[in-house]
Structure formats: structure tokens, C-alpha cells
Amino acid sequence: SGVTRNLDQAATWFRASADAGNRDAAVQLAGLYETGRGVPRDARQATEWYRKAALLGDAGAQVKVGMAYEDGTGVGMNPSEAATWYTKAAGQGNAWAQNRLGWMYGMGHGVSRDDARAMKYFRQAAEQGDAQAQYNLGFMYANGRGVARDDSLAVSWFRKAAEQGYGNAQKELERRAIVP
């Protein structure tokens, strides 16, 4: 493009634009802090810039803030706060957040255990083609968690995940002596 790549300068421009309320610039700046490109690596700063973008409605940034609270990266570990941010992203159709919320409700991690809610979130993500969610939905049907036990539906969801190369689903089908 004829322009010399200068991440230090990019960080300056992203910061000015993010300070003016540009959520995409906030995401870019957060990514620079997360990776240490053009600025010193700083998990706290990364999370703060992701939070600014998340508050402006960026679903990917909402996931990043949730992950930070779940892992305690750049903020104090707080699974309940993580679930709050994942819920925002899930409401925008983010399949990763939907699957993670399903897991959280299935395990009672940061939220009260609620298999029906777990099923709801797994189904949302699975219907978008998320292989891990398809496996999780199969697990719920196989074990009668949040729904009546249904081996046929379990196998159907395991198969969908296996067809995408999801190893746990392939192993489950093999365990059941079903060709993936």
C-alpha cells in the first residue's frame, strides 16, 4: 500500500478514535494491548478497552470481557460477572457465548445450575452450527438433563458435531458403535 507499518502510530490513532466513541477502534486498541503489538502488553488495559467496545454493543468485545472475568485476566476473577457479559453477547446471537452460557448453567458456574437454560443456550449455538454446542446438546439428550432422555436425538447431535471433526463427538459415536 506504500505506507510503512507503524503499530505505535496505529495505537495513537486507535486511542483517539476510541476516546471519541468508535467501538471498532476500541476493539483494535484492546487487541494491541492484549498482544503487546505497538504498546506494552497489558491485560488490564486490554480488558478496559474491550469493556468500552462492549458497552457500545460489540458482541465480540462482550465475549472478551466475559472471558477476562472468567479467567481473572486483567480483572478480578468473577464467574457471575462473566455470565452477565456472555448473556449480552448471546443475546446478539454469538454462538460461542451461547455455548459457554450453556456450560455455565449446566455446571452451576457463576450462575445457579439450570439444565433447562443450559439446553436453551446449547440449542441456540448448535443450530448455528457450533460443533461443541452440538456435542453438548447430544450429551444433554443422552443423559436426560433439561429434557427427556432421547438416544436418537443424542446420536443425531453427536453426528452433526462429528461431521465437523469434533473429536469428542466422534469418540462418543465410536463408543456407541455407530459409524460417524
Side-chain angles (χ1 to χ4, degrees), residues 94-149:
N94 184 289
W96 191 95
Q98 291 164 341
N99 183 59
R100 191 67 187 160
L101 274 172
W103 180 85
M104 292 177 89
Y105 278 107
M107 298 300 291
H109 179 71
V111 294
S112 296
R113 183 171 166 183
D114 184 334
D115 285 344
R117 274 193 168 165
M119 281 294 296
K120 169 190 157 187
Y121 286 115
F122 286 147
R123 182 176 308 285
Q124 288 174 353
E127 289 176 352
Q128 291 186 68
D130 184 283
Q132 187 174 31
Q134 291 168 341
Y135 170 81
N136 290 337
L137 196 55
F139 174 87
M140 298 295 276
Y141 276 113
N143 292 284
R145 291 194 46 198
V147 291
R149 184 179 169 156

Side-chain angles (χ1 to χ4, degrees), residues 45-129:
Q45 281 289 318
T47 300
E48 195 51 44
W49 287 107
Y50 279 130
R51 181 190 323 277
K52 289 180 184 199
L55 290 169
L56 292 169
D58 187 281
Q62 291 165 347
V63 166
K64 287 286 197 172
V65 174
M67 291 170 73
Y69 277 109
E70 192 169 7
D71 300 337
T73 305
V75 292
M77 190 179 292
N78 185 336
S80 177
E81 186 69 12
T84 297
W85 287 101
Y86 292 152
T87 300
K88 292 175 188 298
Q92 294 191 65
N94 184 289
W96 191 95
Q98 291 164 341
N99 183 59
R100 191 67 187 160
L101 274 172
W103 180 85
M104 292 177 89
Y105 278 107
M107 298 300 291
H109 179 71
V111 294
S112 296
R113 183 171 166 183
D114 184 334
D115 285 344
R117 274 193 168 165
M119 281 294 296
K120 169 190 157 187
Y121 286 115
F122 286 147
R123 182 176 308 285
Q124 288 174 353
E127 289 176 352
Q128 291 186 68

